[in-house]
Amino acid sequence: MRSSTDRRNFAVGPRNGGAAVKGVTQRVHSPDQSRNDPLEDDVQAFLIDEDQLHTFDDLTKVNPVTPATVLKCLQARYSLKVFYTHAGCTLVALNPFQPIPDLYSVDVMKEYHYATQPQEFKPHIFIVAEEAYRNVQGQLEPVNQSLVVSGESGAGKTWTSRCLMKYYATVAASAQAVSSQDAVERIERRVLDSNPLMEAFGNACTLRNNNSSRFGKYIQLQMNRAQLLVGASVQTYLLEKTRVACQPANERNFHIFYQMMKGATDEQRTDWKMPQDQCFVWLPNCEKQIEEDGFLETAEAMVHLGIDAERQRQIFRVLAGILQLGNVSFCSSTNESQPCDLDQDSEDFLQRAGDLLGVPGEELCRCLRVRTLKAGKQNVLKPCSQAECGVRRDCLAKVIYGQLFEWLVTFINSCICADQSKWCNFIGVLDVYGFECFQINNLEQLCINYANEKLQQHFVAHYLRAQQEEYVSEGLEWSFIKYQDNQSCLDLLEGSPISVFSLLNEESRLNRASDSTALRGRLEKELEGNGNICWDKFSKVPHFTVAHYAGKVSYQLEGMVEKNKDPVPPELIGLLEKSDNLLLHEIFSDKETEIPQSKGLSRVTVISKFKNSLENLMKLLLTTAPHYTRCIKPNSDCRPLTFKNREVILQLEACGIVETIHISAAGFPIRIPLKSFVQRYGPIGKCSTSSRLDADPDAESTNVLQQEVEKLLRVALQHNVSCDGRRSLVHCGKTKVFLTQLMLDLLEDHRGKILSRCAFTIQCCWLRHQRRRRLARRQSATLIQAAVRSWLVRKQIRRWNGAASVIQNTWKKWRALLKSLAEAELDEAEDLAADDSPALSAVVRERGSVQLSSFQEPVPVRGWPMGLALASAPSITVSLTATGFQKMISVMTSLNLPSRRGEYKVETNQYKQGLASIRARPRGSVKLHYQRSPLLYADMQPDLKSNVTGFNEILLEKTL
């Protein structure tokens, strides 16, 4: 089995891509002259075509690797709205400070999830998420994964963690059966709804970030044996409770208070005793509008998590009571033996606070103004000064909010956490506060920066130091690269026996008032020889300055010891235990034993509690495979798409990105176990190594595997690289093969060529088979088509022959009939009345004519089928050439004239005009000619009384 790093490096693919974009020519200068190394000329020569900088998806491909070149590459990509870039084994994320919806859609999630090689896609946070998920699926040791999202405040850690959770809630249940899909969706919904709820109660708007996490959280996404999401759990670290009662200048309180002010209904405001026009001291900058002021979203998340309406009412009444408590102010009493007086209107605010918190107003006022001291077995009441009253008021608000937040986290875990028997692996998402440096820094900033120091040290130990030490253990010749190790800073803060934390805890456990000046003197005396701490001797404010990995931060000592004590007056706890608010009563009744009440050296301080929880977190991270995402803040003003060189390069150097790139680029970033290497690249050596390993267990020994690897490397490099060049490309260690990206590309290219040849052979055989099969089918189809066509032709010819025989027989019969008629025709002289016949013209005598005129009786016409029917012609003249009188009459009668009795008559000019008889038989065929269409002369409405003869001649001419 190979580790998560092995798998990550084994799946390396090409990451470059994209067309060249012109215009990125801004020069980047180092923040100080120390960064102008002697390679500046080489850098300029290498970066002469700066239009191509955006194509480097991995910063290890930038050569040489210097802060200036890395900065130029990131700036070029950022200007093109490319916000993710690989840095060896780390992902660098630049905050765009504007919504990019298409970058995190469900379709994009599925695209990365179903990809065979997600590393070949453009860099994205989903690549890191999918890599961890596939490690769990492959059960690679260590199976449990941790996604560590780090960076400065406002760099985008919260958004990145939210995207990771949404990704797993989407893809980890995509293969679930339909029958249980509803249950899975409920789990996903609850896991996702836990985010906005915790952000509402734990995040606030600061100078550097509108949604800054004021607590740390580690979310375990629990998965069953099928790698499906079945539950989750949340662990929180160091909520900044002081923000409830004290907000830095130009910053705001927690989001939930502003959500209540802006989203509550009139009915809710009445119940919470919050009029529309009321202002609250603890809600500064209330007029500022930010995206996180969504009350309805928080209320819906509560409903989905199972918080009913009554429980929500109790929660919001407690929060409203805290706000009313913030409006209570005190003034000094004229008599020191008497408690402080309340300012004007404070009595009303105090009464409202008591009603909302479920405690009597008078008793609440007494607990705030009078403290109980134990003198032996007796309790002595002592009035508090004005300052002490304010401290007790703030302490009450902080303890209520802190315990309410812890109850909320416990309730969320009870809703989303699965039973131990249902899950076996988890993927953790760590979202902690980023490195902070303000004008005034106190205990909160010291703890936050200490947590970032621990994470940086884990990063250094896991990636930088472990990577180099692995080379030595595997027998590689390696020169160590110097990197920034922050162990000395951690020794200053938490070391033994003397450190900053130990001195603060010792001062906090002393039952006396703290003196910041004296504390500074002690720190200076005890830690004077440490180079990571210094003091400004000319400053009147007691402080100390720590040189963190991300820069120097000055911490004020005023109030630090009191915050570390985190005192909770017992009378206030007793008051809250008797609260009529069921939620408060439940919280403080269960938490009574956990409230630090001890005195002396056994007192639990804020630092000791936070240090213990952070150590447990680091132990958990050491048992998992970490995946680091470094969030970078391009500018401190949170302006969209604005890139400030100095701020970015300081973050790159502080978080160790440059050192990471140096080691990844100068060393062997790809590691493959020997067996996996032989199994994948065995085809290069043309040997069946896989079958040998499966058949012979002894073949898995290191020597056999190393021999096979050497054989494969000789074959791969025999024509490409010399012996000396091989050492810089690949090294065969004791258990792994260490490769550079160039060597991996060479092996993949060689393997791809072999597989291409095999695929080409298979394709040739398949194409030959297909061509032969196609040829056989074509020949068969040709034979079938020829047979069908010949049958159709024979059938058609038979039909034509039959039709021709019928036509011939009919024609022969017709010729015989005509011949018989011609022979029988006689034109006798006695039939003619030539005595009174007028002389005929030559044309009439030659052709003959028949004239139809009025006749008393209609003439039925039957004769040749000439196909001419004249519907309304009273008179017609026909000129023809015929062989006899019978044919002429037949032609005339073939007109088939309709008639009415007495309307017209038929007369022939046989006797009047003299039709020459033709006694000889015709020697050829007879044709009917229409010189012009008779219809052109037709009278459609003729006068029945007139004599109409307006038809053209119809000729029958004899043809030879």
Side-chain angles (χ1 to χ4, degrees), residues 132-379:
Y133 185 67
R134 294 191 182 188
N135 286 350
V136 176
Q137 287 181 320
Q139 294 295 296
L140 300 174
E141 292 294 340
V143 179
N144 297 327
Q145 311 288 309
S146 290
L147 306 178
V148 182
V149 183
S150 59
E152 289 191 3
S153 178
K157 300 183 302 299
T158 301
W159 173 259
T160 301
S161 301
R162 191 185 306 171
C163 292
L164 289 171
M165 291 182 62
K166 186 176 180 180
Y167 181 85
Y168 289 122
T170 302
V171 305
S174 58
Q176 179 70 323
V178 178
S179 58
S180 59
Q181 188 69 26
D182 294 340
V184 173
E185 288 181 355
R186 287 199 298 271
I187 294 172
E188 296 170 3
R189 186 64 179 269
R190 289 184 177 184
V191 171
L192 294 179
D193 284 334
S194 65
N195 242 0
L197 189 57
M198 286 191 296
E199 288 182 12
F201 282 82
N203 290 20
C205 177
T206 64
L207 290 174
R208 309 187 69 179
N209 186 9
N210 287 343
N211 191 29
S212 176
S213 297
R214 309 319 301 164
F215 71 106
K217 63 176 180 290
Y218 184 76
I219 303 174
Q220 281 187 350
L221 302 175
Q222 301 160 348
M223 298 183 180
N224 58 13
R225 296 187 182 276
Q227 290 79 49
L228 301 178
L229 185 65
V230 295
S233 65
V234 182
Q235 302 176 27
T236 59
Y237 306 94
L238 190 65
L239 176 70
E240 189 186 17
K241 297 182 296 184
T242 56
R243 183 170 291 270
V244 176
C246 180
Q247 303 80 34
N250 298 323
E251 294 191 3
R252 302 205 315 175
N253 210 323
F254 291 103
H255 291 326
I256 186 62
F257 295 111
Y258 298 92
Q259 292 177 1
M260 293 172 59
M261 284 290 295
K262 298 178 181 180
T265 61
D266 294 338
E267 182 181 357
Q268 289 174 327
R269 283 183 171 274
T270 302
D271 184 43
W272 302 341
K273 302 182 183 300
M274 293 172 57
Q276 287 281 359
D277 56 348
Q278 184 177 4
C279 297
F280 296 97
V281 176
W282 288 349
L283 288 186
N285 302 314
C286 192
E287 69 283 353
K288 185 175 182 179
Q289 298 291 335
I290 61 175
E291 183 181 357
E292 285 71 24
D293 292 341
F295 180 72
L296 293 179
E297 183 181 3
T298 302
E300 290 178 0
M302 288 183 172
V303 173
H304 295 152
L305 288 171
I307 303 178
D308 55 26
E310 180 59 28
R311 185 63 84 184
Q312 290 185 38
R313 177 175 177 272
Q314 296 171 6
I315 293 173
F316 292 130
R317 284 179 65 86
V318 170
L319 296 174
I322 293 176
L323 292 180
Q324 297 289 350
L325 198 62
N327 285 0
V328 176
S329 58
F330 303 92
C331 58
S332 300
S333 175
T334 56
N335 189 353
E336 294 182 358
S337 62
Q338 296 297 323
C340 293
D341 297 328
L342 294 175
D343 286 346
Q344 188 178 7
D345 298 332
S346 290
E347 293 184 2
D348 184 32
F349 295 141
L350 187 64
Q351 186 62 41
R352 292 182 188 178
D355 294 341
L356 292 170
L357 297 177
V359 297
E362 297 79 5
E363 190 172 354
L364 175 61
C365 181
R366 181 182 61 82
C367 290
L368 293 178
R369 298 190 300 168
V370 179
R371 61 177 177 172
T372 303
L373 300 178
K374 285 189 177 182
K377 296 183 179 180
Q378 295 182 353
N379 292 333

Side-chain angles (χ1 to χ4, degrees), residues 5-6 48 53 77 96 242 301-302 378 389 492 540 582 596 618 640 652 715 793 877 935 960:
T5 306
D6 299 331
I48 191 170
L53 279 177
R77 294 174 64 82
T242 56
M302 288 183 172
Q378 295 182 353
C389 290
L492 169 68
K540 297 181 180 180
L582 297 180
M618 300 312 298
L652 291 176
V715 174
V793 169
T877 299
L935 299 179
L960 299 178

Side-chain angles (χ1 to χ4, degrees), residues 12 85 123 133 226 376 581 806 828 921 935:
V12 170
T85 307
Y133 185 67
N581 188 304
V806 172
E828 299 297 337
R921 298 178 181 178
L935 299 179

Side-chain angles (χ1 to χ4, degrees), residues 765-777:
C765 295
W766 175 247
L767 291 175
R768 182 168 58 250
H769 168 72
Q770 283 188 323
R771 288 178 66 86
R772 289 177 178 177
R773 189 176 179 183
R774 216 168 23 243
L775 181 60
R777 289 183 176 180

Side-chain angles (χ1 to χ4, degrees), residues 560-617:
M560 184 175 289
V561 174
E562 292 299 324
K563 289 183 178 181
N564 190 35
K565 292 179 181 180
D566 194 20
V568 181
E571 53 269 25
L572 295 179
I573 300 300
L575 178 65
L576 295 175
E577 289 176 1
K578 298 181 292 184
S579 172
D580 294 336
N581 188 304
L582 297 180
L583 178 60
L584 278 181
H585 179 76
E586 175 186 341
I587 290 175
F588 285 92
S589 296
D590 296 339
K591 297 288 183 180
E592 180 181 1
T593 58
E594 300 181 16
I595 301 295
Q597 300 290 340
S598 57
K599 295 182 180 180
L601 297 178
S602 60
R603 174 178 292 171
V604 179
T605 62
V606 172
I607 288 178
S608 59
K609 186 190 300 184
F610 179 70
K611 185 172 179 290
N612 291 334
S613 62
L614 193 59
E615 287 177 353
N616 294 332
L617 173 63

